[in-house]
Amino acid sequence: MNVFQGRTIVLGVGGGIAAYRVCELARLFMKRGADVRVVMTENAQRFVTAGTFQALTGNPVLTDLFDLHQKAIFGHLETGKRADLFIVAPATANLIARIRFGMGDDAVTTSLLSSACPVLIAPAMNFQMWRNAQVQENVAALERDTRFAFVGPEVGTLAEGAVGEGRLSEPEDILEAAEALLTPQDFVGRQLVITAGPTREYLDPVRFLSNPSTGRMGFALAHAAAIRGAAVTLISGPVELKTPRGVRRVDVTSADEMFLAAKLAIDGADVFIASAAVCDQRPAKREDHKVKKEDFGDSLSLTRTPDVLHELRALYGEAAFPERPLFVGFAAETDHILEHAQKKLAQKRLDLIAANDVTAPGSGFATATNQLTILSREGQQSHLDIMSKEEAAHRFLDVVRARFPKS
Ligand code: CTP
């Protein structure tokens, strides 16, 4: 689901040193298929020129309300009318105050006043200014209005070298916040627990058993659920991925740790999705010191790890959803895909299982795409043809949502 495709995003650029980072933001939106329109305050142009944004976006830039040419091709009323989302970045203390009081004294504030779309404000200023009581009062007043949302500022090194809260959020984080504002909030009030990634089962401090899972599918599910309004706990094995915005992440290493973390998190959850590639065995003994190669025998003695999904489902016995969480599993297979998946669905007493052929091109471990067949306990089947894991995550969540009782 690409909510930016064909949408008009207006970037209202304020006069702060972070204005240069909005160039990157414009580029990110364009990459996602948005029509990006830039409006700038006079001070913003002291940091970045209108020409830079014009070249980047391929659209005229609005800077001067009284310039007849600008008015003719791209006036403030036109900008406001077109906008699907208005982003103010960097929002300076001055700009925030002017927005709060409904002033319309430059290109950014007048365009904002003439628009009716959601507004995302990304502040950036010195940390003492950000802490100032009047600034905070203006922010609080805007936050009370459902039309306005804030992203950041972040704690970090500020332009003048001081460390504090006041840095403009990363362009990727602003993009994610924007994505949530344009996405239907159909998971609000729902709690999801998702396991992701591989586990590692150590035999000594430097050697372990594991698998090639990168966690991408689970992280895509966590991201998709969070931007649709869910409260998400993501229990992740060792992976290289960034935590999606707004997601509570619990890092674990072994299957035992994943089981304990999941057992704690599942209390009160509406949905439990097990997308982790949990190791089914671990070495029977874990040595405290590195084992010398001559001390290894020819075989490794193994014991079973807990089946996280199966054991958690068993805790709820005969209870039916929604008196218990909805249980969703994955079946990573290399042969007899649907047969094996069907068997796991029944054995683990799941509500849904997503089967995937990990040997098919563009599917399975460490790929950007996936191809899934979702089976339900009632025998329904839906096939998600090859698509990005992000898109597959949204389609999968549609199937999950369809099982919620109608309210
Ligand atoms: N699973 C789990 N804990 C385990 C093993 C599996 O939670 N110790 C979950 C997986 O996250 C997945 C489902 O169970 O949702 C099926 O996992 P899979 O590895 O495909 O199957 P297994 O049950 O391990 O069976 P097998 O390895 O024999 O195919």
Side-chain angles (χ1 to χ4, degrees), residues 65 72 80 114 136 146 152 204 225 249 339 357 379 390:
L65 289 179
S114 63
Q136 284 304 313
T146 51
D204 73 10
R249 172 168 171 178
E339 220 173 286
D357 178 353
E390 287 67 32

Side-chain angles (χ1 to χ4, degrees), residues 195 274-276 278-280 305-309 329-333 344 348:
T195 66
S275 75
V278 187
C279 290
D280 294 312
T305 56
D307 185 320
V308 181
L309 178 60
F330 272 76
E333 308 293 344
K344 285 175 191 172
K348 301 192 191 199

Side-chain angles (χ1 to χ4, degrees), residues 47-61:
F47 296 96
V48 185
T49 68
T52 305
F53 281 116
Q54 188 157 321
L56 278 173
T57 64
N59 282 324
V61 173

Side-chain angles (χ1 to χ4, degrees), residues 79-315:
T79 323
K81 253 196 311 199
R82 274 197 210 180
D84 291 302
L85 179 67
F86 201 117
I87 301 177
V88 184
T92 57
N94 178 290
L95 196 45
I96 290 172
R98 287 190 291 125
I99 295 171
R100 188 228 164 149
F101 289 105
M103 291 170 73
D105 53 356
D106 65 8
V108 173
T109 48
T110 39
S111 305
L112 191 55
L113 284 178
S114 63
S115 69
C117 63
V119 182
L120 179 63
I121 301 180
M125 65 194 77
N126 166 278
F127 72 97
Q128 273 153 336
M129 286 174 78
W130 175 249
R131 263 203 241 134
N132 176 282
Q134 275 164 310
V135 172
Q136 284 304 313
E137 198 189 310
N138 291 338
V139 170
L142 286 169
E143 272 176 334
R144 281 195 294 275
D145 183 337
T146 51
R147 194 182 165 207
F148 295 94
F150 280 78
V151 54
E154 305 300 324
V155 174
T157 308
L158 306 175
E160 67 280 9
V163 176
E165 195 180 6
R167 250 178 90 83
L168 184 74
S169 290
E170 292 299 323
E172 286 83 7
D173 291 335
I174 299 176
L175 184 99
E176 260 187 40
E179 195 174 7
L181 288 178
L182 290 176
T183 304
Q185 297 295 287
D186 55 357
F187 270 81
V188 167
R190 304 287 180 193
Q191 282 188 44
L192 270 72
V193 177
I194 301 172
T195 66
T199 63
R200 284 183 186 172
E201 312 301 331
Y202 278 86
L203 47 130
D204 73 10
V206 296
R207 302 181 180 95
F208 55 80
L209 301 178
S210 193
N211 59 63
S213 166
T214 55
R216 277 191 76 153
M217 192 63 224
F219 274 62
L221 281 162
H223 169 76
I227 65 162
R228 289 166 74 159
V232 182
T233 301
L234 177 62
I235 301 170
S236 177
V239 295
E240 297 287 323
L241 301 173
K242 199 177 150 213
T243 312
R245 189 169 174 270
V247 166
R248 188 172 83 93
R249 172 168 171 178
V250 182
D251 283 312
V252 296
T253 304
S254 65
D256 280 321
E257 286 174 19
M258 187 169 274
F259 174 67
L260 286 177
K263 196 170 168 206
L264 275 178
I266 201 169
D267 194 24
D270 298 289
V271 183
F272 181 76
I273 304 180
S275 75
V278 187
C279 290
D280 294 312
Q281 279 91 16
R282 64 175 156 78
K285 190 157 183 284
R286 179 184 167 158
E287 304 295 342
D288 292 336
H289 303 286
K290 185 181 170 192
V291 179
K292 290 291 148 202
K293 57 179 172 284
E294 25 322 318
D295 297 334
F296 272 122
D298 294 334
S299 61
L300 191 60
S301 171
L302 300 173
T303 57
R304 285 286 290 273
T305 56
D307 185 320
V308 181
L309 178 60
H310 196 180
E311 292 198 25
L312 290 184
R313 170 65 187 89
L315 292 178

